[in-house]
mmCIF file of all heavy atoms in Angstrom:
data_model
loop_
_atom_site.group_PDB
_atom_site.id
_atom_site.type_symbol
_atom_site.label_atom_id
_atom_site.label_comp_id
_atom_site.label_asym_id
_atom_site.label_seq_id
_atom_site.Cartn_x
_atom_site.Cartn_y
_atom_site.Cartn_z
ATOM 1 N N GLU G 159 73.310 -6.013 40.584
ATOM 2 C CA GLU G 159 73.105 -7.181 41.354
ATOM 3 C C GLU G 159 74.437 -8.076 41.493
ATOM 4 O O GLU G 159 75.064 -8.065 40.461
ATOM 5 C CB GLU G 159 72.013 -7.942 40.626
ATOM 6 C CG GLU G 159 71.458 -9.236 41.292
ATOM 7 C CD GLU G 159 71.155 -9.104 42.682
ATOM 8 O OE1 GLU G 159 70.254 -8.242 42.944
ATOM 9 O OE2 GLU G 159 71.754 -9.575 43.604
ATOM 10 N N PHE G 160 74.614 -8.748 42.607
ATOM 11 C CA PHE G 160 75.684 -9.417 42.791
ATOM 12 C C PHE G 160 75.483 -10.886 43.178
ATOM 13 O O PHE G 160 76.459 -11.621 43.633
ATOM 14 C CB PHE G 160 76.781 -8.753 43.822
ATOM 15 C CG PHE G 160 76.986 -7.442 43.523
ATOM 16 C CD1 PHE G 160 76.266 -6.306 44.144
ATOM 17 C CD2 PHE G 160 77.941 -7.009 42.489
ATOM 18 C CE1 PHE G 160 76.652 -5.029 43.862
ATOM 19 C CE2 PHE G 160 78.203 -5.843 42.103
ATOM 20 C CZ PHE G 160 77.554 -4.684 42.851
ATOM 21 N N LEU G 161 74.234 -11.454 42.939
ATOM 22 C CA LEU G 161 73.921 -12.652 43.348
ATOM 23 C C LEU G 161 74.612 -13.689 42.421
ATOM 24 O O LEU G 161 74.858 -13.517 41.325
ATOM 25 C CB LEU G 161 72.436 -12.949 43.512
ATOM 26 C CG LEU G 161 71.521 -12.985 42.402
ATOM 27 C CD1 LEU G 161 71.552 -14.357 41.682
ATOM 28 C CD2 LEU G 161 70.108 -12.802 42.806
ATOM 29 N N GLN G 162 74.979 -14.919 43.120
ATOM 30 C CA GLN G 162 75.460 -16.104 42.293
ATOM 31 C C GLN G 162 74.443 -17.060 42.187
ATOM 32 O O GLN G 162 73.713 -17.297 43.068
ATOM 33 C CB GLN G 162 76.654 -16.663 43.082
ATOM 34 C CG GLN G 162 77.827 -15.933 43.272
ATOM 35 C CD GLN G 162 78.812 -16.611 44.023
ATOM 36 O OE1 GLN G 162 78.688 -16.519 45.314
ATOM 37 N NE2 GLN G 162 79.766 -17.522 43.583
ATOM 38 N N GLU G 163 74.330 -17.627 40.910
ATOM 39 C CA GLU G 163 73.440 -18.766 40.770
ATOM 40 C C GLU G 163 73.865 -19.878 41.675
ATOM 41 O O GLU G 163 74.989 -19.872 42.074
ATOM 42 C CB GLU G 163 73.531 -19.342 39.359
ATOM 43 C CG GLU G 163 72.901 -18.425 38.277
ATOM 44 C CD GLU G 163 72.907 -19.011 36.856
ATOM 45 O OE1 GLU G 163 73.051 -20.163 36.756
ATOM 46 O OE2 GLU G 163 72.886 -18.183 35.898
ATOM 47 N N LYS G 214 79.547 -2.965 38.641
ATOM 48 C CA LYS G 214 79.089 -4.322 38.234
ATOM 49 C C LYS G 214 80.177 -4.999 37.326
ATOM 50 O O LYS G 214 80.650 -6.166 37.506
ATOM 51 C CB LYS G 214 77.804 -4.230 37.552
ATOM 52 C CG LYS G 214 77.478 -5.569 36.946
ATOM 53 C CD LYS G 214 76.996 -6.576 38.033
ATOM 54 C CE LYS G 214 76.628 -7.918 37.426
ATOM 55 N NZ LYS G 214 76.317 -8.781 38.393
ATOM 56 N N ASN G 218 82.711 -8.306 38.287
ATOM 57 C CA ASN G 218 82.826 -9.481 37.566
ATOM 58 C C ASN G 218 84.166 -9.649 36.891
ATOM 59 O O ASN G 218 84.708 -10.673 36.778
ATOM 60 C CB ASN G 218 81.665 -9.653 36.632
ATOM 61 C CG ASN G 218 80.401 -10.213 37.294
ATOM 62 O OD1 ASN G 218 80.491 -10.522 38.451
ATOM 63 N ND2 ASN G 218 79.451 -10.396 36.498
ATOM 64 N N LEU G 221 86.681 -10.732 39.519
ATOM 65 C CA LEU G 221 86.516 -12.250 39.826
ATOM 66 C C LEU G 221 87.041 -13.072 38.759
ATOM 67 O O LEU G 221 87.803 -13.968 39.069
ATOM 68 C CB LEU G 221 85.033 -12.530 40.097
ATOM 69 C CG LEU G 221 84.392 -11.900 41.309
ATOM 70 C CD1 LEU G 221 82.762 -12.160 41.347
ATOM 71 C CD2 LEU G 221 84.962 -12.334 42.661
ATOM 72 N N ILE G 225 90.211 -15.762 39.365
ATOM 73 C CA ILE G 225 90.011 -17.206 38.963
ATOM 74 C C ILE G 225 91.258 -17.503 38.038
ATOM 75 O O ILE G 225 91.877 -18.546 38.111
ATOM 76 C CB ILE G 225 88.672 -17.626 38.258
ATOM 77 C CG1 ILE G 225 87.620 -17.242 39.359
ATOM 78 C CG2 ILE G 225 88.687 -18.949 37.721
ATOM 79 C CD1 ILE G 225 86.325 -17.283 38.689
ATOM 80 N N PHE G 260 87.265 -17.507 45.532
ATOM 81 C CA PHE G 260 87.589 -17.493 44.161
ATOM 82 C C PHE G 260 88.973 -17.847 43.712
ATOM 83 O O PHE G 260 89.527 -17.115 42.950
ATOM 84 C CB PHE G 260 87.044 -16.059 43.562
ATOM 85 C CG PHE G 260 85.653 -16.250 43.141
ATOM 86 C CD1 PHE G 260 84.658 -16.448 44.180
ATOM 87 C CD2 PHE G 260 85.218 -16.209 41.786
ATOM 88 C CE1 PHE G 260 83.367 -16.618 43.856
ATOM 89 C CE2 PHE G 260 83.913 -16.312 41.494
ATOM 90 C CZ PHE G 260 82.928 -16.430 42.467
ATOM 91 N N LEU G 261 89.541 -18.698 44.539
ATOM 92 C CA LEU G 261 90.857 -19.215 44.290
ATOM 93 C C LEU G 261 90.979 -20.600 44.049
ATOM 94 O O LEU G 261 91.892 -21.435 44.332
ATOM 95 C CB LEU G 261 91.877 -18.766 45.491
ATOM 96 C CG LEU G 261 92.228 -17.374 45.650
ATOM 97 C CD1 LEU G 261 93.161 -17.226 46.844
ATOM 98 C CD2 LEU G 261 92.973 -16.763 44.302
ATOM 99 N N ASN G 262 89.743 -21.168 43.646
ATOM 100 C CA ASN G 262 89.661 -22.640 43.360
ATOM 101 C C ASN G 262 89.938 -22.777 41.872
ATOM 102 O O ASN G 262 89.134 -22.556 41.063
ATOM 103 C CB ASN G 262 88.233 -22.948 43.699
ATOM 104 C CG ASN G 262 87.961 -24.456 43.712
ATOM 105 O OD1 ASN G 262 88.943 -25.282 43.639
ATOM 106 N ND2 ASN G 262 86.871 -24.944 43.896
ATOM 107 N N GLY G 266 88.616 -23.164 34.010
ATOM 108 C CA GLY G 266 88.282 -21.866 33.495
ATOM 109 C C GLY G 266 86.869 -21.400 33.955
ATOM 110 O O GLY G 266 86.061 -22.223 34.328
ATOM 111 N N TYR G 267 86.577 -20.046 33.975
ATOM 112 C CA TYR G 267 85.379 -19.696 34.448
ATOM 113 C C TYR G 267 84.339 -19.766 33.262
ATOM 114 O O TYR G 267 84.750 -19.578 32.038
ATOM 115 C CB TYR G 267 85.470 -18.316 34.954
ATOM 116 C CG TYR G 267 85.949 -17.258 33.974
ATOM 117 C CD1 TYR G 267 85.109 -16.652 33.021
ATOM 118 C CD2 TYR G 267 87.275 -16.777 33.997
ATOM 119 C CE1 TYR G 267 85.581 -15.713 32.062
ATOM 120 C CE2 TYR G 267 87.680 -15.894 33.058
ATOM 121 C CZ TYR G 267 86.889 -15.333 32.042
ATOM 122 O OH TYR G 267 87.417 -14.371 31.190
ATOM 123 N N GLY G 268 83.063 -20.123 33.699
ATOM 124 C CA GLY G 268 82.006 -20.084 32.618
ATOM 125 C C GLY G 268 80.819 -19.465 33.193
ATOM 126 O O GLY G 268 80.882 -18.603 34.083
ATOM 127 N N CYS G 271 77.501 -15.083 33.156
ATOM 128 C CA CYS G 271 77.767 -13.637 33.552
ATOM 129 C C CYS G 271 79.329 -13.316 33.344
ATOM 130 O O CYS G 271 79.546 -12.437 32.459
ATOM 131 C CB CYS G 271 77.448 -13.510 34.954
ATOM 132 S SG CYS G 271 75.695 -13.908 35.212
ATOM 133 N N LEU G 272 80.233 -13.997 33.839
ATOM 134 C CA LEU G 272 81.630 -13.676 33.885
ATOM 135 C C LEU G 272 82.142 -13.512 32.377
ATOM 136 O O LEU G 272 82.662 -12.564 32.032
ATOM 137 C CB LEU G 272 82.573 -14.494 34.631
ATOM 138 C CG LEU G 272 82.344 -14.630 36.191
ATOM 139 C CD1 LEU G 272 83.536 -15.350 37.012
ATOM 140 C CD2 LEU G 272 82.029 -13.326 36.866
ATOM 141 N N ASP G 275 80.290 -10.628 30.626
ATOM 142 C CA ASP G 275 80.739 -9.232 31.119
ATOM 143 C C ASP G 275 82.044 -8.859 30.800
ATOM 144 O O ASP G 275 82.442 -7.826 30.469
ATOM 145 C CB ASP G 275 80.445 -9.274 32.620
ATOM 146 C CG ASP G 275 79.017 -9.284 32.992
ATOM 147 O OD1 ASP G 275 78.149 -9.253 32.079
ATOM 148 O OD2 ASP G 275 78.629 -9.263 34.169
ATOM 149 N N PHE G 330 77.706 -25.347 34.575
ATOM 150 C CA PHE G 330 78.909 -24.536 34.665
ATOM 151 C C PHE G 330 79.428 -24.493 36.145
ATOM 152 O O PHE G 330 80.556 -24.021 36.308
ATOM 153 C CB PHE G 330 78.658 -23.177 34.059
ATOM 154 C CG PHE G 330 78.007 -22.237 34.974
ATOM 155 C CD1 PHE G 330 78.769 -21.250 35.701
ATOM 156 C CD2 PHE G 330 76.543 -22.112 35.225
ATOM 157 C CE1 PHE G 330 78.185 -20.248 36.522
ATOM 158 C CE2 PHE G 330 75.990 -21.283 36.013
ATOM 159 C CZ PHE G 330 76.782 -20.320 36.796
ATOM 160 N N LYS G 331 78.609 -24.994 37.096
ATOM 161 C CA LYS G 331 79.171 -25.122 38.476
ATOM 162 C C LYS G 331 78.096 -26.000 39.070
ATOM 163 O O LYS G 331 77.058 -26.196 38.694
ATOM 164 C CB LYS G 331 79.399 -23.723 39.063
ATOM 165 C CG LYS G 331 78.049 -22.993 39.369
ATOM 166 C CD LYS G 331 78.311 -21.807 40.100
ATOM 167 C CE LYS G 331 77.131 -20.847 40.333
ATOM 168 N NZ LYS G 331 77.370 -19.673 41.051
ATOM 169 N N ARG G 420 88.941 -30.557 39.141
ATOM 170 C CA ARG G 420 88.612 -29.926 40.356
ATOM 171 C C ARG G 420 89.273 -30.497 41.682
ATOM 172 O O ARG G 420 88.956 -30.250 42.874
ATOM 173 C CB ARG G 420 87.026 -29.878 40.657
ATOM 174 C CG ARG G 420 86.260 -29.293 39.449
ATOM 175 C CD ARG G 420 86.294 -27.805 39.486
ATOM 176 N NE ARG G 420 85.697 -27.144 38.487
ATOM 177 C CZ ARG G 420 85.493 -25.915 38.189
ATOM 178 N NH1 ARG G 420 86.020 -25.144 39.034
ATOM 179 N NH2 ARG G 420 84.962 -25.481 37.144
HETATM 180 C C1 UGA K 4 78.819 -14.249 38.937
HETATM 181 C C2 UGA K 4 79.285 -13.590 40.099
HETATM 182 O O1 UGA K 4 80.032 -14.319 40.996
HETATM 183 C C3 UGA K 4 78.107 -12.812 40.788
HETATM 184 O O2 UGA K 4 78.621 -11.992 41.820
HETATM 185 C C4 UGA K 4 77.338 -11.928 39.788
HETATM 186 O O3 UGA K 4 76.217 -11.443 40.381
HETATM 187 C C5 UGA K 4 76.841 -12.916 38.716
HETATM 188 O O4 UGA K 4 77.968 -13.422 38.002
HETATM 189 C C6 UGA K 4 76.162 -12.117 37.670
HETATM 190 O O5 UGA K 4 76.778 -11.139 37.128
HETATM 191 O O6 UGA K 4 74.904 -12.261 37.565
HETATM 192 P P1 UGA K 4 77.590 -16.793 38.614
HETATM 193 O O7 UGA K 4 77.699 -16.476 37.119
HETATM 194 O O8 UGA K 4 76.495 -17.373 39.294
HETATM 195 O O9 UGA K 4 78.103 -15.424 39.400
HETATM 196 O O10 UGA K 4 78.916 -17.821 38.880
HETATM 197 P P2 UGA K 4 80.192 -17.838 39.804
HETATM 198 O O11 UGA K 4 79.917 -18.474 41.116
HETATM 199 O O12 UGA K 4 80.835 -16.448 39.869
HETATM 200 O O13 UGA K 4 81.065 -18.761 38.913
HETATM 201 C C7 UGA K 4 81.564 -18.399 37.654
HETATM 202 C C8 UGA K 4 82.515 -19.426 37.084
HETATM 203 O O14 UGA K 4 83.748 -19.397 37.733
HETATM 204 C C9 UGA K 4 81.994 -20.957 37.149
HETATM 205 O O15 UGA K 4 82.264 -21.504 35.945
HETATM 206 C C10 UGA K 4 82.867 -21.370 38.409
HETATM 207 O O16 UGA K 4 83.148 -22.829 38.202
HETATM 208 C C11 UGA K 4 84.086 -20.678 38.220
HETATM 209 N N1 UGA K 4 84.964 -20.550 39.410
HETATM 210 C C12 UGA K 4 84.487 -19.738 40.427
HETATM 211 C C13 UGA K 4 86.223 -21.165 39.458
HETATM 212 O O17 UGA K 4 86.703 -21.835 38.564
HETATM 213 N N2 UGA K 4 86.918 -20.988 40.683
HETATM 214 C C14 UGA K 4 86.488 -20.231 41.685
HETATM 215 O O18 UGA K 4 87.107 -20.160 42.685
HETATM 216 C C15 UGA K 4 85.267 -19.569 41.524
#
Side-chain angles (χ1 to χ4, degrees):
E159 180 55 58
F160 304 104
L161 69 76
Q162 286 175 277
E163 283 181 30
K214 173 68 186 185
N218 274 359
L221 293 175
I225 297 165
F260 275 63
L261 286 178
N262 192 7
Y267 59 82
C271 302
L272 300 193
D275 291 354
F330 84 98
K331 63 175 177 180
R420 302 287 179 180

